[in-house]
Amino acid sequence: MKRFILTLTALLICGINAECFAWGGVGHATIAYIAERHLTPKAKENIEKCIDGKSIVYYASWLDCHRVDNKSWGKLSHVCHYDINTLEPIGKPHKYMKSSINKLKKYRELTDSALKVTIYHFVHSFGDYHCPGHVALYDRTGEKPKRVHTSSYDIFLKTKNIRFGYHKLWDSGIIQQNHPDWGYMDWAHALDSSISQQYIDSVTAGTWEEWLKDVATRTHKVYNIFERVPKKGKDTPDNELSIVDNQTMNDYVEYASEQLLIAGLRMAKIINEIFGE
């Protein structure tokens, strides 16, 4: 009960601005809780020793909650960049993740404070990088990389008759479409209660770099559905924005839900490999 109260408190604190960030507080907590459900006893014990005995769920949105207070944490990009032609992850976000995972592999050599921040970054950003709204595509065939797609634009959400950010659409809009009252435990149990070991093995096969390429491949397909109005920004009239209706939202609930699930399963695999010894 004590752990549940601590976790709930953290979610409420971050939840004030949850819709502004990746997946929202519920999405991040769902990913971390799914991961926790698949940790070996040894891995769970070891990683919790590193974060003052608390659950990884407690720190799932830590990076969002504290990045305003510390510029160095804020610089850790919450959006992953990909080459639009090869769909390989590129740039600093990928390097940050690689650095975090490599540090965790030597976690016994880190100071307590460095270890905690590294765990916070990994748990948060690994979830971010599975969010369709946290994928940016670049064309690198020219002299300089050209950003082809990012999530910082508006669509017109017909279900609410309002402008809505594409980023926010994935962070919270779509996953709350059919279950607005669900908390992270509801999501985790609904998504994770009846999956097979064969499914787990299939989505966690390969390396984390291959997983990110899988995310890019999946996300690349939906950008043409939620289309950006070319060369227009905040001043674009509502009636000229791409319209997203209720049916389109419903069509992608399953997709967004699966991204939450596979992010949690993949996170668990990495934690088990590092902390399960």
Side-chain angles (χ1 to χ4, degrees), residues 198-210:
Q198 182 179 6
Y199 175 80
I200 296 173
D201 292 341
S202 67
V203 299
T204 60
T207 66
W208 67 269
E209 290 95 342
E210 291 171 332

Side-chain angles (χ1 to χ4, degrees), residues 5-56:
I5 293 173
L6 287 171
T7 303
L8 181 60
T9 301
L11 291 176
L12 288 174
I13 292 172
C14 295
I16 296 172
N17 294 315
E19 289 189 338
C20 298
F21 302 121
W23 281 131
V26 172
H28 273 295
T30 299
I31 292 170
Y33 187 50
I34 289 173
E36 186 175 76
R37 285 161 57 93
H38 289 270
L39 295 183
T40 65
K42 189 65 174 178
K44 186 173 185 296
E45 178 185 4
N46 282 338
I47 195 170
E48 289 181 356
K49 283 181 180 177
C50 302
I51 49 177
D52 301 323
K54 295 184 178 71
S55 164
I56 57 173

